[in-house]
Amino acid sequence: MHALFSPLDLRSVRIKNRIVVSPMCEYSAIDGVPNDWHLVHLGSRAVGGSGIVFTEATAVEASGRISPDDTGIWNDAQEAAWAPIVRFIEAQGSVPGIQLAHSGRKGSTAAPWKGGGPVSAESGGWSPIWSSSSFAFTDGWQTPAALDEAGLDRVRDAFREAALRSLRAGFKTVEIHAAHGYLLHQFLSPLVNRREDEYGGSLENRMRFPLEIVSIVRETWPEELPVMVRISATDWVEGGWDLEQSIAFCIECRKRGVDVIDCSSGGAVPGASIPLGPGYQVPFAEAIRKEAGMMTGAVGLITEPGQAEEIVVSGKADLIVMARELLRDPYWPRRAAKELGETIPAPNQYARAW
């Protein structure tokens, strides 16, 4: 069997192969409630054969959304709406996962096809937005309020409650979003975190709040189910968050019971120069796997079956986390299996096609 199609056990959860549907914002929810679009979008990728199917970044509180159109899991209606989607994913043999997120200072913005910039209250936006420190992401964007102790408590409680709701909805794994310039990354990055209290300054202090969230989710989530964390391994900017700090953070995550680090990059500040190319983020997954001693997911312009197979078989990463390629082709795992000479079961309705 090719490594890409070998199963992987994460605690009590068996993943049938190493292909993961990355969280991808769909900007299609109403009041945070997922709907038919999310069922078809996520369900198609489960039918397509991916091992884990993650939801988009799902806000733990209303002010933690990126856009007014994001999904959430802070109330009963959202929890109930996720449940049938989860059941369908699981019925196809895929593991249903949810990414728990808070946008921080990058919140109250429009969907990309609506311009992507700040959204006013009249257009469904909100204020205040929150961050580690009180300065805007870029010119013309809303200035966030720095979280005080009451605000930190509120966010802690929101992640705890979101984990409980995710469990009740039937999800089998959670991923904590600490990447792409969103709230937890805003605490980690020295380019964003300008605090002078115990949550700013030194690496230990900047890691403190994200690690508190990791501990809260891990303690809330059942021991037998896995927890993942997505990080930006580097800001791609001099003086910013980098691989060395990421390794230190991942070691602390491992100590707190995190099972997999999903290794992305960038997003903290505008204007970073990112050297895009096939597999450009794979070295981060490889380094963290080696230096932090834990499983990793590789991300970033991984498009070909042979490329994905080489990453896993050579020990650079344990999982292949794919986004745009799975948008283009929900059945990429089936095409990859055929190209590599593997046979994977298809639903009876589709079996004649494979």
Side-chain angles (χ1 to χ4, degrees):
M1 175 180 287
H2 286 81
L4 186 62
F5 289 95
S6 62
L8 179 66
D9 291 327
L10 295 178
R11 299 186 184 245
S12 68
V13 176
R14 170 153 287 197
I15 304 161
K16 63 184 178 183
N17 59 48
R18 307 306 182 91
I19 302 165
V20 178
V21 178
S22 184
M24 292 179 278
C25 290
E26 296 298 295
Y27 307 102
S28 299
I30 297 173
D31 296 328
V33 178
N35 53 47
D36 290 349
W37 178 268
H38 302 87
L39 171 62
V40 174
H41 165 67
L42 297 169
S44 295
R45 277 124 196 107
V47 171
S50 293
I52 303 177
V53 177
F54 270 111
T55 69
E56 63 191 78
T58 299
V60 299
E61 63 175 3
S63 63
R65 292 170 295 168
I66 301 166
S67 82
D69 309 307
D70 286 11
T71 60
I73 193 158
W74 68 81
N75 64 34
D76 292 346
Q78 295 157 357
E79 179 185 324
W82 279 119
I85 299 172
V86 169
R87 287 196 298 270
F88 185 86
I89 292 170
E90 197 161 30
Q92 311 315 308
S94 298
V95 174
I98 185 168
Q99 187 186 63
L100 302 180
H102 195 298
S103 60
R105 70 176 185 161
K106 295 176 82 172
S108 194
T109 56
W113 57 85
K114 298 177 183 176
V119 176
S120 67
E122 294 73 25
S123 299
W126 55 91
S127 182
I129 57 174
W130 308 95
S131 186
S132 58
S133 304
S134 185
F135 67 103
F137 175 69
T138 192
D139 291 345
W141 286 44
Q142 188 178 159
T143 298
L147 284 164
D148 59 13
E149 190 55 46
L152 294 169
D153 277 343
R154 190 192 73 248
V155 175
R156 293 182 188 107
D157 290 343
F159 271 94
R160 182 181 294 107
E161 181 68 16
L164 289 170
R165 289 186 179 279
S166 299
L167 181 64
R168 292 198 297 262
F171 288 101
K172 294 300 185 288
T173 184
V174 293
E175 178 174 89
I176 300 163
H177 199 352
H180 300 164
Y182 298 119
L183 182 64
L184 300 185
H185 188 187
Q186 291 163 28
F187 275 83
L188 292 171
S189 175
L191 299 176
V192 184
N193 187 338
R194 301 179 182 176
R195 298 175 76 99
E196 297 180 352
D197 61 4
E198 68 270 32
Y199 292 101
S202 68
L203 174 61
E204 180 182 7
N205 283 357
R206 286 182 281 112
M207 293 194 302
R208 191 182 308 278
F209 185 61
L211 288 173
E212 288 176 357
I213 298 301
V214 167
S215 294
I216 286 167
V217 173
R218 180 67 274 178
E219 290 163 6
T220 304
W221 199 241
E223 180 67 24
E224 67 272 16
L225 298 180
V227 171
M228 300 170 63
V229 174
R230 169 163 273 197
I231 67 165
S232 282
T234 178
D235 288 338
W236 297 109
V237 174
E238 185 71 26
W241 185 255
D242 58 20
L243 180 58
E244 182 180 358
Q245 294 173 88
S246 292
I247 290 168
F249 178 66
C250 292
I251 289 171
E252 294 303 317
C253 286
R254 187 196 67 209
K255 292 176 182 177
R256 288 160 176 79
V258 170
D259 300 282
V260 180
I261 300 293
D262 181 356
C263 302
S264 190
S265 68
V269 293
S273 179
I274 302 176
L276 297 175
Y280 71 103
Q281 297 176 129
V282 173
F284 302 135
E286 183 177 15
I288 288 168
R289 189 175 190 266
K290 178 181 178 182
E291 299 298 330
M294 60 189 309
M295 287 185 280
T296 60
V299 186
L301 296 181
I302 300 170
T303 60
E304 296 303 320
Q307 176 193 17
E309 170 70 11
E310 188 278 332
I311 291 167
V312 178
V313 78
S314 64
K316 294 175 182 174
D318 302 275
L319 294 166
I320 304 298
V321 186
M322 302 177 69
R324 286 178 177 82
E325 190 63 20
L326 283 172
L327 282 184
R328 290 185 282 265
D329 181 5
Y331 306 102
W332 187 92
R334 300 194 178 281
R335 179 168 64 83
K338 189 173 183 178
E339 185 172 318
L340 294 173
E342 296 284 348
T343 300
I344 60 174
N348 291 332
Q349 298 92 331
Y350 286 11
R352 62 187 178 276
W354 298 96

